[in-house]
Amino acid sequence: MTETHEQWDITTGVGLTALAVASARAIATGSADGLVDDPFAAAFVRAANPPRPMPTGPEDAGDDEMWAAMSAYMGLRSRFFDDLIAGSSAPQIVILAAGLDARAYRLDLTGRDVYEVDQPRVLEFKQQVLDSLNARPRCRRHPVAADLRDNWPAALESAGFDRSRPTVWLAEGLLPYLPARAEEELFEIVHARSAPGSRIGVEQVPGGDVESMDRMMRELKASERVGIEMDGLLNTVPRRDPATWLRAQGWSVKAEAADEVAAGHGQVFPAYLNHTMAKAELTTADLPA
């Protein structure tokens, strides 16, 4: 019997976290020292009508500690994955749990195929907003409506993915929401479908300690302030280290702490993040050609 998984839209469950991330990108986009330029982020937030008001720029966020921390981290995270794509010539890009990612529209990816894998209702909402803006992708864009806990590889290949071509895979803002075994299976699936010359980008909470992220979100009162229901949202079961596993499979791996990446851009994270996401591991893995 096929297991039935919970579905969500952009204002419920994990979808609401994607909306909060878009809000943080909108703040970073409007900030003088922001590391990301996402002209679509604010439009997503406005169109969603979230259960709690979310900023659409720095003027809305003011001096709020939570949004200052989120915009600093999410701006840096977005820039890291942007640079990871730019540093590879792989002809296809797969964004796992794409959420409100707009790289297909805001980055010049001419001649490349971008596959966005996420829940059907999340992709539908994103498409509606982009269409309302008359936005056009700067690549060949392929929405893939699939749950990462189900047979998403079949949906990906049905959309045109070619495992014989090098691929850039992005696992950004994803791993803490997956059960441990589902995370391990995801990397096994990705490895099996990666041609030589492929690249993987991974964001992992400090040391794989998902409980630290859960504590941070509770301390920031994400449930009360943003409407995110924390109970059962993150999966805190211990899991293997993806960087160690990828090395064992022949990948060349570079892992950096987020605050080290920020320092490379001349930025210092808010002190609030020092013991949580400032130490998140941003990892690049390359499969030799």
Side-chain angles (χ1 to χ4, degrees), residues 19 84 126 227:
L19 192 63
L84 184 144
K126 178 162 66 172

Side-chain angles (χ1 to χ4, degrees), residues 58-278:
E59 65 283 353
D60 296 335
D63 58 0
D64 186 289
E65 182 183 55
M66 181 188 79
W67 289 111
M70 281 193 63
S71 63
Y73 180 76
M74 296 305 170
L76 183 280
R77 186 179 83 177
S78 297
R79 178 62 175 272
F80 173 83
F81 284 95
D82 286 356
D83 291 346
L84 184 144
I85 293 173
S88 170
S89 60
Q92 52 190 11
I93 300 160
V94 178
I95 305 175
L96 302 167
L100 298 179
D101 184 289
R103 289 186 173 95
Y105 293 80
R106 64 181 181 81
L107 300 182
D108 185 0
L109 301 173
T110 303
R112 303 171 82 175
D113 289 280
V114 176
Y115 298 88
E116 300 178 0
V117 185
D118 212 321
Q119 293 266 5
R121 285 185 285 176
V122 172
L123 292 175
E124 180 182 1
F125 168 80
K126 178 162 66 172
Q127 191 66 61
Q128 290 173 348
V129 175
L130 291 167
D131 287 347
S132 74
L133 298 172
N134 293 317
R136 296 291 180 268
R138 304 170 71 184
C139 61
R140 291 184 295 269
R141 176 175 175 258
H142 311 272
V144 181
D147 191 309
L148 289 172
R149 297 164 297 181
D150 292 327
N151 189 14
W152 62 270
L156 179 63
E157 296 190 8
S158 293
F161 173 83
D162 182 353
R163 66 172 71 188
S164 70
R165 297 196 299 163
T167 304
V168 177
W169 303 86
L170 303 189
E172 176 185 13
L174 165 63
L175 300 188
Y177 303 100
L178 291 177
R181 183 53 194 153
E183 177 185 317
E184 293 170 359
E185 289 177 347
L186 181 142
F187 283 105
E188 291 163 5
I189 289 168
V190 166
H191 173 65
R193 286 160 178 77
S194 293
S198 292
R199 167 172 283 189
I200 300 175
V202 180
E203 176 203 21
Q204 181 182 329
V205 296
D209 179 15
V210 179
E211 289 186 0
S212 68
M213 182 178 174
D214 183 80
R215 286 193 300 272
M216 179 188 72
M217 293 181 71
R218 291 180 187 278
E219 289 170 7
L220 286 170
K221 299 184 178 179
S223 180
E224 298 92 329
R225 301 179 65 189
V226 183
I228 298 173
E229 179 52 58
M230 289 303 303
D231 291 342
L233 181 67
L234 304 178
N235 191 293
T236 58
V237 174
R239 59 207 60 210
R240 72 187 180 200
D241 175 45
T244 300
W245 186 84
L246 287 166
R247 287 190 183 97
Q249 310 311 310
W251 294 75
S252 174
V253 179
K254 179 182 179 182
E256 302 173 271
D259 57 358
E260 295 173 350
V261 179
H265 291 285
Q267 295 200 348
V268 178
F269 279 144
Y272 193 88
L273 293 177
N274 283 348
H275 301 295
T276 51
M277 299 312 293

